[in-house]
Amino acid sequence: MTRTRLLAILLVLLASTLCAATHRAVMPPNPADALGIGPMSGAAVSGSVASVSGTTITLNSGGAQTIRIDASAAKFQSEQGTASISDVKTGARISAFINTTITVAASAALPAQLIAIESSPDLAVNGAIQSIDPAHSTFSVLGINIAVDANTSYGTTFPTFAPIRGLQDLAVGQMVNVTAAFTNASILAKRVQITSFVIPTTTILHGTVKSISASAWVITTDGKDTTVTIDAQTKILGDAKVGDSVQVIANVDSAHNYLAIAIIKLIPAGPPDSATMKLSGWVKSIAPAQWTIGGPAGSLAPDFLVRITSTTKIYPNPAVGDHVVATGARDTTGTFVAVSIVRED
């Protein structure tokens, strides 16, 4: 069951309790309110769990105002059915429906009536269908064999087309987004969403960000503006802002609409007089986007942060403690951006 279907079921339950709330006379228990939630206003908070202490759930607020949920009187539901607070784990995503009839202080925990525990798929695959095997109820995307069963749901972003009923309505060449679970040493599709009935043309744009909105970016290339749509599958790498230089990888449909696959912020080169710099030292730490290089262990020599990009050449696989020479330049923020890092034996 997907997050969308889970929330849809919860909304049905909410609607039934709202209807029940309009009757103030003493009535027998409402059979529609099988969970015993009671009247609900629909007010809700959704987020990722930072911690659980007793019956208090704290959401991740990114260092902003603390948001706490009082789950002492709450019913719990997950995609597998009835749940409990023991099923709420750090990092999980929840939707808490709040009891607004209770007055609480500004800093107090919000009293929840119902908490929906959401889950992420084991695997998400986006690409073109390469083959279909009806006899074994499987299809392949990117060389990955994916099975379907009676519980697999199907959909399409083109509601004007006939509904997708099952594997028999899929075709080689269609672009699909698949969410799946690992079951019995196989990959089982939970949902198959057709995003395009043909493989779209892919193009690359290199330009300057003119504007940013929740659904589209405008990129200026050689004086021409191009509107690029973004969606939940678009990968945005770097904190690009208006005026920054970016590279956009996008699908282009037959109507010349652009849908971004990825938007990558490009790091500008430093000024000409600092275009080439060398930094010699010992590797103190290694992370995917940043290394620390400094003096030998026990020395008072300063450490330097070195930014790593997708084009940085690293040879031959230096490790923490190795002596290296980093060649690069400082970007507009003053950060040293490595063009290459070479281990010196």
Side-chain angles (χ1 to χ4, degrees), residues 175-195:
M175 294 292 294
V176 292
N177 178 262
V178 182
T179 54
F182 302 136
T183 306
N184 298 325
S186 67
I187 299 172
L188 178 63
K190 295 297 185 181
R191 181 165 178 79
V192 181
Q193 181 85 3
I194 298 177
T195 58

Side-chain angles (χ1 to χ4, degrees), residues 3 45-52 56-63 65-69 88-96 115-120:
R3 174 187 172 193
V45 176
S46 297
S48 298
V49 176
S51 64
V52 180
T56 300
I57 302 170
T58 301
L59 298 182
N60 186 349
S61 59
Q65 173 187 351
T66 300
I67 302 172
R68 293 180 298 134
I69 308 297
V88 180
K89 308 297 183 182
T90 299
R93 185 173 177 84
I94 66 169
S95 289
I115 294 178
I117 306 170
E118 302 163 14
S119 61
S120 299

Side-chain angles (χ1 to χ4, degrees), residues 214-341:
S215 59
W217 292 37
V218 176
I219 309 299
T220 302
T221 305
D222 297 329
K224 178 184 177 182
D225 291 344
T226 300
T227 299
V228 179
T229 301
I230 63 172
D231 63 13
Q233 278 70 52
T234 302
K235 305 301 180 185
I236 299 177
L237 308 177
D239 57 344
K241 301 177 179 63
V242 172
D244 286 343
S245 180
V246 295
Q247 180 166 304
V248 180
I249 305 171
N251 287 331
V252 186
D253 64 19
S254 57
H256 300 288
N257 297 312
Y258 290 74
L259 174 61
I261 301 171
I263 300 176
I264 306 165
K265 178 182 177 180
L266 300 178
I267 301 174
D273 60 351
S274 65
T276 302
M277 299 175 60
K278 286 191 176 182
L279 178 63
S280 178
W282 282 260
V283 180
K284 298 293 188 67
S285 66
I286 295 176
Q290 181 175 276
W291 289 30
T292 302
I293 296 176
S299 74
L300 298 178
D303 292 340
F304 295 90
L305 298 179
V306 177
R307 181 176 294 174
I308 307 300
T309 71
S310 60
T311 59
T312 302
K313 306 299 182 184
I314 301 175
Y315 181 82
N317 195 29
V320 171
D322 289 343
H323 187 268
V324 296
V325 175
T327 303
R330 294 192 181 278
D331 63 14
T332 55
T333 67
T335 302
F336 185 93
V337 181
V339 174
S340 66
I341 298 178

Side-chain angles (χ1 to χ4, degrees), residues 129 131-140 145-148 167 170 187:
I129 296 177
S131 65
I132 300 174
D133 184 353
H136 295 91
S137 297
T138 63
F139 65 99
S140 67
N145 289 321
I146 302 170
V148 300
L167 192 65
L170 301 182
I187 299 172

